[in-house]
Amino acid sequence: MKKISFLFIYILVTISFSCSGPTITDDLLDGEVVFDPSLYNPEQFLVSAKYPIPTPADLNKHIILAVHGYTATTFEWQEFQDWSVTPSYRISQVLLGGHGRDYNAFKNSTWEDWRSSITSEYEKLIALGYTRISLVGSSTGGTLLLELVNSGYFNNHLHPKNIFLVDPIVVPSNKLQTLVGIIGPMIVYVETDQTAAENNYWYRFRPYETINELNNVMSIVRKGLENGMTLPSGTYLKVFHSLHDPVASTTSSVLIYKGLKTSSGSKIEVQLIYSDIHVFTRLNLRTKVTLLQKNNQLDVFNQIANKLN
């Protein structure tokens, strides 16, 4: 009874703070000013836009699509881009559909819209003649990549060489997130606690409609893992997950490990990282970054890069 009463009070408090529309100013990503440069300068982020007529030398390079998470932008993988100085591979930073625009564009987007940016760039690269393509997804970016595996998308397209997942969310750490479908119309949105600098790269206000979309795609992936999922032939997959992830429960990676197999029936690889931050590969704008956090980031960057050579 006490647990039920606490939950009821929590819901009432949440509703009292967010029962009307958010107050949005143009210094927020949620505003009408376009912040993400990939929208007005795509050739600096997408390989297909930067090299529309690739040379044989270009086509010989390994391409990795870097996919950010829910409410984020291409900024989430900029550190990997900046770190990567090798000429042997190139990174295509994908902005999820519906993201990087104003609040209403985000509010009206579906998880299928988010995913469409991934498949669009993937198919453009294939059409240009690239044959070595890998993908890395953080948080919901990883969830969307798992959904592509589950849906059989890669059965009819070039099989990716590698798929890397960083803190993929299949089960949220906050169990109250699943209640959004019930109380969503009353709460309207959830406001996140983030810095002024982070307001330029992540939505501060999360419409309940988009939280529902996130719950929906997570549910699809969970069911797929329960039924058993198989990677395309020749595709390697590894999961990296923060041991104390405050957003994506490590149960997510347990389900992935149990429910996903290689085409030969082998288990996929999972590495738990001693960390208490979500998407531990993104350190810019975080406060008090430790040496351990820097080493965790470099370890993953090196592991990804070494698989692309």
Side-chain angles (χ1 to χ4, degrees), residues 4-234:
I4 294 176
S5 298
F6 175 79
L7 177 59
F8 182 70
I9 292 171
Y10 176 89
I11 292 173
L12 284 181
V13 170
T14 304
I15 292 172
S16 69
F17 277 103
S18 53
C19 59
S20 60
T23 300
I24 298 173
T25 56
D26 282 340
D27 59 318
L28 304 176
L29 177 65
D30 319 55
E32 295 183 0
V33 175
V34 176
F35 279 92
D36 198 291
S38 66
L39 287 171
Y40 53 80
N41 200 10
E43 65 274 10
Q44 295 301 315
F45 294 85
L46 298 176
V47 171
S48 65
K50 188 170 186 177
Y51 304 97
I53 307 177
T55 66
D58 291 328
L59 295 176
N60 191 46
K61 296 184 183 299
H62 201 132
I63 308 300
I64 182 164
L65 273 66
V67 186
H68 65 80
Y70 169 73
T71 79
T73 59
T74 50
F75 179 83
E76 198 157 81
W77 281 106
Q78 188 59 46
E79 285 161 271
F80 183 45
Q81 179 74 269
D82 294 340
W83 176 86
S84 297
V85 294
T86 174
S88 63
Y89 67 88
R90 287 176 175 151
I91 302 171
S92 202
Q93 291 168 263
V94 175
L95 179 69
L96 294 182
H99 287 66
R101 290 91 169 165
D102 64 25
Y103 176 85
N104 285 324
F106 182 46
K107 174 183 175 180
N108 294 322
S109 66
T110 65
W111 69 262
E112 291 94 341
D113 294 329
W114 308 345
R115 182 192 60 186
S116 66
S117 295
I118 306 172
T119 56
S120 175
E121 176 65 358
Y122 196 75
E123 290 169 24
K124 286 178 181 177
L125 292 170
I126 295 172
L128 288 173
Y130 289 96
T131 58
R132 296 195 297 160
I133 307 176
S134 295
L135 306 104
V136 59
S138 52
S139 191
T140 300
T143 315
L144 293 169
L145 296 184
L146 287 170
E147 192 283 328
L148 288 175
V149 173
N150 181 59
S151 68
Y153 170 82
F154 294 113
N155 294 341
N156 301 313
H157 297 86
L158 177 75
H159 295 180
K161 297 295 184 182
N162 308 281
I163 299 176
F164 306 99
L165 309 179
V166 174
D167 293 336
I169 183 168
V170 178
V171 177
S173 294
N174 183 358
K175 305 308 177 186
L176 292 176
Q177 181 174 320
T178 57
L179 293 175
V180 169
I182 301 173
I183 64 174
M186 294 183 286
I187 66 171
V188 181
Y189 67 90
V190 173
E191 184 175 1
T192 58
D193 181 19
Q194 58 191 36
T195 66
E198 289 175 324
N199 284 337
N200 294 334
Y201 304 105
W202 286 267
Y203 288 105
R204 186 173 187 88
F205 301 104
R206 302 181 175 190
Y208 85 87
E209 293 92 343
T210 63
I211 300 176
N212 268 341
E213 291 298 316
L214 175 55
N215 286 337
N216 289 340
V217 71
M218 284 194 297
S219 177
I220 291 171
V221 171
R222 280 198 303 272
K223 290 178 182 177
L225 292 169
E226 290 169 3
N227 294 329
M229 290 166 52
T230 303
L231 288 169
S233 59

Side-chain angles (χ1 to χ4, degrees), residues 249-267:
S249 170
T250 50
T251 302
S252 301
S253 289
V254 172
L255 293 178
I256 296 170
Y257 181 76
K258 290 183 176 180
L260 180 61
K261 299 290 189 298
T262 68
S263 60
S264 62
S266 301
K267 293 183 179 296

